[in-house]
C-alpha cells in the first residue's frame, strides 16, 4: 500500500516558508523562484485539504494548521537529512555512532582523546551531539550517551567512567582572593552557581563543615565552560573539576585558592540502550572509552 506522504519538494518549500513566514525568503534559500515556491505550497495545501498559510497584504502568515504541521515536519526533515549525511559519510562501508554528550566533558576530555580511538578503529565515525538532560532513546536517533548523573535509565546499560572532584577556582585577580584560603574565607567571595548542579556549593560547604547562608546565592550558569569563563572574568569563584580546566590552571588564568574537594554520589557514565549493546562498533567504543577513563582516573 502506497504511503500517504507528500512530495519532498513541497515539504522543503513549506518548511522554509514556514520558518521565515515568507515565500520570498524561502525562494532565496532554496534557489527557486517565488512562483515555484507558491506552486509547491499550493500543491501541498491541495494534497492535505487544509490551508497552511493566510495571505495578507504584508505577506503570509501560518494558519493554526500550518503552525502544527510546521512543528511536526521540521524535526522529521532534520532527522532525514542527518540519516542521509550519515550514509554518505560512510561511503558504503564502516559504521557511524551518534553520541549524546555533556558539552564541556566532550570538549575538554573526550575530543582530545578521540583521535586515539579513530586510529584504532578508522572505519567507525563518531558524531557528537550535546545533551545535558536525560531522554528516551527510542525517541531519538542516538546510539549511546555520555551523561553525568545517576545510572538508572530504563532499558539501558550503564558503564561507569569517573567521578567529579570539583574544587573552588577563580581568577588570581578576583578582589579578596588569596593563594591559600579556608572554606570559611571562600564563603565570603561571590559564588558562581551551576544550574545543572544547583546544590553543589551547599554540598561543598557541608563537606568542609561550614555553615553559610550564601551557599545558594550568586550568578547561575548552565555549563562548566561558562563557569570557567565567568571565573576568568572575575565574576566570582566556581566549583569545577580540575580535569576540565587543565589549560586554564596551567596558564594561570584560573587558580584554586582552596584544595578542598568533596565526594560525589553521581558520576559520568556511558549509557547504552540494551537493544544496541551488542553492536560491534558500539562495543569497540565502549571498551576503548572505559579503558581511557581508567587510565586517566
Amino acid at each position: 500500500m502506497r504511503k500517504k506522504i507528500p512530495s519532498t519538494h513541497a515539504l522543503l518549500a513549506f518548511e522554509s516558508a514556514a520558518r521565515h513566514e515568507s515565500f520570498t525568503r524561502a525562494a532565496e534559500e532554496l534557489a527557486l523562484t517565488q512562483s515555484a515556491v507558491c506552486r509547491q505550497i499550493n500543491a501541498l495545501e491541495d494534497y492535505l485539504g487544509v490551508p497552511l498559510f493566510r495571505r495578507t497584504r504584508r505577506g503570509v502568515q501560518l494558519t493554526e494548521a500550518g503552525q502544527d504541521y510546521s512543528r511536526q515536519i521540521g524535526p522529521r526533515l532534520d532527522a532525514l537529512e542527518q540519516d542521509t549525511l550519515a550514509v554518505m559519510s560512510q561511503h558504503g562501508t564502516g559504521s557511524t555512532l551518534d553520541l549524546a554528550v555533556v558539552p564541556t566533558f566532550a570538549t575538554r576530555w573526550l575530543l582530545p582523546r578521540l583521535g586515539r580511538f579513530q586510529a584504532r578503529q578508522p572505519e567507525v565515525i563518531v558524531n557528537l551531539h550535546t545533551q545535558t538532560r536525560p531522554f528516551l532513546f527510542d525517541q531519538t536517533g542516538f546510539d549511546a550517551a555520555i551523561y553525568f548523573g545517576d545510572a538508572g535509565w530504563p532499558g539501558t546499560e550503564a558503564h561507569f567512567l569517573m567521578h567529579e572532584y570539583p574544587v573552588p577556582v577563580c581568577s588570581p585577580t578576583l578582589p579578596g582572593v588569596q593563594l591559600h584560603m579556608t572554606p570559611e574565607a571562600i564563603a565570603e567571595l561571590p559564588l558562581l552557581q551551576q544550574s545543572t548542579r544547583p546544590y553543589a556549593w551547599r554540598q561543598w560547604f557541608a563537606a568542609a563543615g561550614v555553615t553559610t547562608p550564601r551557599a545558594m546565592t550568586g550568578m547561575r550558569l548552565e555549563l562548566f565552560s561558562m563557569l570557567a569563563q565567568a571565573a576568568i572574568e572575575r565574576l566570582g569563584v566556581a566549583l569545577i573539576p580540575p580535569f576540565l580546566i587543565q589549560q586554564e590552571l596551567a596558564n594561570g588564568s584560573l587558580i584554586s585558592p582552596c584544595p578542598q574537594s568533596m565526594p560525589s554520589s553521581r558520576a559520568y557514565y556511558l549509557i547504552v540502550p540494551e537493544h544496541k549493546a551488542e553492536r560491534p562498533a558500539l562495543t569497540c567504543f565502549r571498551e576503548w572509552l572505559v579503558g581511557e577513563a581508567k587510565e586517566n582516573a
Side-chain angles (χ1 to χ4, degrees), residues 198-219:
Y199 304 107
W201 273 116
R202 190 168 74 178
Q203 293 166 350
W204 185 85
F205 284 118
V210 175
T211 301
T212 172
R214 301 183 62 251
M216 300 289 290
T217 65
M219 178 189 297

Side-chain angles (χ1 to χ4, degrees), residues 169-209:
V169 296
C170 62
S171 167
T173 59
L174 177 69
V177 74
Q178 299 176 17
L179 289 180
H180 303 288
M181 301 181 69
T182 64
E184 290 84 356
I186 293 292
E188 299 303 315
L189 297 174
L191 304 179
L192 297 171
Q193 306 282 349
Q194 187 169 13
S195 56
T196 54
R197 293 159 177 76
Y199 304 107
W201 273 116
R202 190 168 74 178
Q203 293 166 350
W204 185 85
F205 284 118

Side-chain angles (χ1 to χ4, degrees), residues 47 92 111 154 221 251 268:
Y47 184 88
L111 281 174
L221 303 107
N251 64 27
Y268 288 95

Side-chain angles (χ1 to χ4, degrees), residues 82-101:
Q82 292 300 317
D83 292 342
T84 303
L85 291 172
V87 172
M88 293 171 65
S89 68
Q90 295 173 26
H91 297 287
T93 62
S95 300
T96 298
L97 295 178
D98 284 289
L99 301 181
V101 294

Side-chain angles (χ1 to χ4, degrees), residues 99-103 129-135 140 142 145-147 153:
L99 301 181
V101 294
V102 282
H129 311 264
T130 59
Q131 192 85 12
T132 59
R133 303 188 186 278
F135 56 88
T140 73
F142 298 137
I146 296 176
Y147 172 70
W153 292 27

